[in-house]
Structures are given as structure tokens and as C-alpha cells.
Amino acid sequence: MELTFMGHSAVRLRTADHEVIVDPYLSGNPMAVQGPDDVDPGHVILTHAHGDHLGDTVEIAKRTGATVIASVEIVDHLAEQGVSGSGMNVGGSVEFDFGRVTFTPAWHSNSFPDGTYGGMPMGVIVEIGGVRVYHAGDTALFSDMALVGRRGIDVALLPIGDTFTMGPDDALEAVRLIAPRAVIPIHYGTFPAIEQDAEAFARAVQAAGDVDCHPLRPGQSLDL
Ligand code: NI
Ligand code: MN
């Protein structure tokens, strides 16, 4: 399974047969090196509807016919724009052709840029190509991340930007709770308010225990 960091919280998960994108904020993303035309997903997963996560979802889904996997509220709202979706809610799992999706809690807020209510903000566990990925979405640190960790997480994508989500110190505590095999920091460096030293975070993670931390540049991939 190839995981590509696309900048901010946008991540592409690709196997020989399937391509899935989480939070495809590309054209408006000052850090992105790939645009909405550079992806060809069968599914788009959204953690919540804020503009820096919804991103190019509608354009991508209309061009590729991708199914949007998100809260029922988000899926219902996108249906009005002609996008097909699979509505879920926090705690639920569904088996798709590419693998299994489970939505987890996240401590955040969730509305569309136009103010429409988006349901619960969520994190997501994606099991694809034999790899279990936890994308925490936008969230504060919370102790139930330990329950996510009990599922056995191979890679945890954790926000470190602070201001709108947990910062590096709390993300380090999240690593202790989740105990994943590897960590990739996300949701930092895109705007001045979330500027962080990802290399310093990586050193702190490596020093804290037996966990690999990979601060990826936008466009960079990891084979898992
Ligand atoms: Ni957000
Ligand atoms: Mn965000």
C-alpha cells in the first residue's frame, strides 16, 4: 500500500487496484504540489466539512464518479450537488471494495463553509492493502485514543498544528495512547497559525519509544 501525503490533512492511499483520498484539500492548499486533476479515486473519505478538508471533493467526485464516505449530514448535503455518497456516523464500520472504514470520535466542530451543519466531526480508521491507518481528523487529545490503539494501528496520521487542533505536545501524548508502529504529522505549516517544527516533533516521538515518525513533504509517499 502506498500512502502519499498531499499537504495539510490530505492523504492518498493506493493499492494496485484501488485509490482512496482522505480530505482532498488541494487547489486552495498553499502546500499542495498536486491538484484535483492529479488524482483518480474510487472513494473520497471526509473527516468533516471544514473548507480545508472538504477541499476539491465535489469537483473530484463529479469528474471521477468517486463515492464520498462521510457523516450522513455531509453526504446528504453533497447529494444536493449531485455527488453520490455513503453516509456513516461515529462508531460505525462499513466494508467497501477497497477495505474497511470505521469512524472514530474527534473533538472539534463540523460545518460546511456556508454554515450548513455537517454532523459529528470524526477521525477514521481505514484498513486497506493489509495496513490499518488511523487518520485522526481535526481533534484535541482525548483519552479514548487508547481504544483506537487497541485495534492495532500501523500508521497514525496526527494533527500537530495547534490553534485548531492538538499541538505537538498533546500529539506526543496521543502517540503514547495509540502506540502505533509509525506516525505521520499532519495539519501544520499550511498557514502561519499552525506553523510547527515537524522534525522536532519527529525527534520527540522517536525518543519517547519504539515508534517511527515520518514528517513527509507534500507529494512524498511511503510504501507500507
Ligand atoms: Ni476543521
Ligand atoms: Mn482543519
Side-chain angles (χ1 to χ4, degrees):
M1 200 277 285
E2 178 201 62
L3 183 156
T4 305
F5 177 56
M6 305 187 86
H8 204 58
S9 291
V11 179
R12 178 176 64 193
L13 308 173
R14 204 154 55 161
T15 64
D17 301 319
H18 299 286
E19 178 172 332
V20 176
I21 302 203
V22 184
D23 290 355
Y25 171 53
L26 302 175
S27 63
N29 179 350
M31 298 301 284
V33 297
Q34 287 141 313
D37 290 335
D38 297 322
V39 298
D40 189 20
H43 293 81
V44 175
I45 300 174
L46 295 177
T47 60
H48 62 300
H50 287 161
D52 58 319
H53 298 259
L54 178 68
D56 305 297
T57 296
V58 172
E59 180 188 337
I60 291 169
K62 284 193 168 169
R63 182 175 56 80
T64 67
T67 299
V68 174
I69 303 169
S71 71
V72 287
E73 290 84 356
I74 289 176
V75 165
D76 286 350
H77 190 62
L78 293 180
E80 294 165 13
Q81 299 173 57
V83 172
S84 69
S86 181
M88 295 177 60
N89 214 326
V90 64
S93 296
V94 171
E95 199 79 46
F96 294 92
D97 59 356
F98 62 85
R100 191 174 177 81
V101 170
T102 304
F103 277 111
T104 72
W107 277 95
H108 194 60
S109 56
N110 186 17
S111 51
F112 283 83
D114 69 3
T116 302
Y117 173 64
M120 293 288 282
M122 303 190 284
V124 66
I125 299 166
V126 186
E127 295 171 63
I128 178 171
V131 180
R132 193 172 291 122
V133 179
Y134 170 47
H135 186 303
D138 280 1
T139 187
L141 173 67
F142 57 98
S143 58
D144 283 354
M145 284 179 173
L147 299 177
V148 173
R150 278 192 208 169
R151 295 167 183 263
I153 300 300
D154 294 304
V155 188
L157 295 144
L158 302 176
I160 66 163
D162 223 331
T163 307
F164 309 110
T165 67
M166 58 186 175
D169 292 348
D170 280 356
L172 182 60
E173 189 58 40
V175 173
R176 293 192 182 98
L177 291 173
I178 300 161
R181 280 175 42 214
V183 174
I184 298 171
I186 58 172
H187 212 272
Y188 70 95
T190 324
F191 320 109
I194 58 173
E195 213 52 69
Q196 293 295 340
D197 184 345
E199 296 295 336
F201 172 70
R203 285 192 297 274
V205 170
Q206 314 261 40
D210 189 22
V211 183
D212 291 325
C213 186
H214 308 277
L216 301 178
R217 293 183 308 278
Q220 197 179 358
S221 299
L222 207 57
D223 283 314
L224 297 156

